[in-house]
Amino acid sequence: MKLAEWARSFGVHPQTAYRWFREDRMPVPARRLPSGTIVVDLPDSPGGRAVVYVRVSSHDRRTDLEAQAGRVTAWCATQGIRVDEVVSEVGSGVNGRRATLARLLGDPEVATIVVEYRDRVARFGVEHLHAALAATGRRIVVVDTSETIDDLVGDMVEVLTWMCARLYGRRGARNRAMRAITATKREPGEAAG
């Protein structure tokens, strides 16, 4: 498979893949032909299972899971990818503790994970997941690879929201603890106020 083709199928920009090749950092074997074309030698995979992974960020968007699964499954049918399982999850893309995704990534029988958008897997570091899976002959296939400035703005808003929630959550917990301590120090006949 040509380098650019491999890069696109694994969600990596072709220029990034070329840089990896030049720096001898390719996660899979690759070689340059006498014609100058760079070819990626994919390890033989035993077939493996193809799983559609859909995710939404919050419980109020849970109804979007079914529509997302339908779109991805329909795309797989047009590409000739036989879907063995559809897995859904509710959780933030910034949160690294998503049990369903961890199970998929850790299952060696899952050769292909298909997602609608790159950020359905994770908001950051997806390239590392692509490289790690590619080294074992597995892959993440992204249906819609287009990125817009809105996605970048959305990422920034999500990170800020996550950070603020953590900060304010800690402050709220501290305030509740202080109120509980103050309440225990009051005299039995003293009124709360």
Side-chain angles (χ1 to χ4, degrees):
M1 170 184 291
K2 289 184 178 179
L3 181 66
E5 226 176 276
W6 173 85
R8 287 187 189 95
S9 70
F10 283 92
V12 177
H13 194 280
Q15 289 177 345
T16 302
Y18 181 64
R19 186 180 72 243
W20 288 351
F21 179 78
R22 281 191 335 258
E23 297 171 356
D24 197 27
R25 295 184 334 162
M26 286 291 291
V28 294
R31 58 192 161 83
R32 186 182 301 269
L33 298 176
S35 65
T37 303
I38 299 171
V39 178
V40 175
D41 300 317
L42 292 176
D44 293 332
S45 65
R49 297 180 328 122
V51 176
V52 169
Y53 176 76
V54 294
R55 179 188 66 80
V56 292
S57 299
S58 59
H59 287 283
D60 60 334
R61 302 208 50 207
R62 187 179 277 277
T63 55
D64 295 344
L65 285 172
E66 192 173 318
Q68 193 180 132
R71 288 189 301 269
V72 175
T73 305
W75 182 87
C76 287
T78 64
Q79 300 299 310
I81 299 173
R82 184 179 55 88
V83 176
D84 295 305
E85 183 181 2
V86 176
V87 177
S88 63
E89 189 164 42
V90 176
S92 171
V94 177
N95 185 351
R97 293 168 294 191
R98 286 182 278 140
T100 305
L101 179 61
R103 180 181 60 81
L104 283 179
L105 293 172
D107 185 354
E109 294 295 316
V110 177
T112 305
I113 300 172
V114 185
V115 295
E116 187 171 24
Y117 298 104
R118 183 182 67 86
D119 69 351
R120 296 299 90 193
V121 176
R123 287 285 180 177
F124 307 104
V126 176
E127 296 79 15
H128 300 294
L129 288 175
H130 280 291
L133 290 174
T136 60
R138 301 166 64 203
R139 65 186 181 148
I140 296 174
V141 176
V142 179
V143 172
D144 188 351
T145 57
S146 64
E147 290 225 10
T148 64
I149 194 70
D150 294 339
D151 289 339
L152 296 174
V153 171
D155 289 348
M156 198 61 179
V157 168
E158 177 126 359
V159 168
L160 289 173
T161 302
W162 179 75
M163 291 172 69
C164 290
R166 298 276 310 240
L167 178 67
Y168 296 139
R170 287 184 187 149
R171 184 182 300 159
R174 185 189 71 224
N175 289 343
R176 285 189 298 277
M178 292 304 292
R179 283 194 300 267
I181 290 170
T182 305
T184 59
K185 290 182 179 179
R186 289 195 186 117
E187 295 296 322
E190 192 178 323

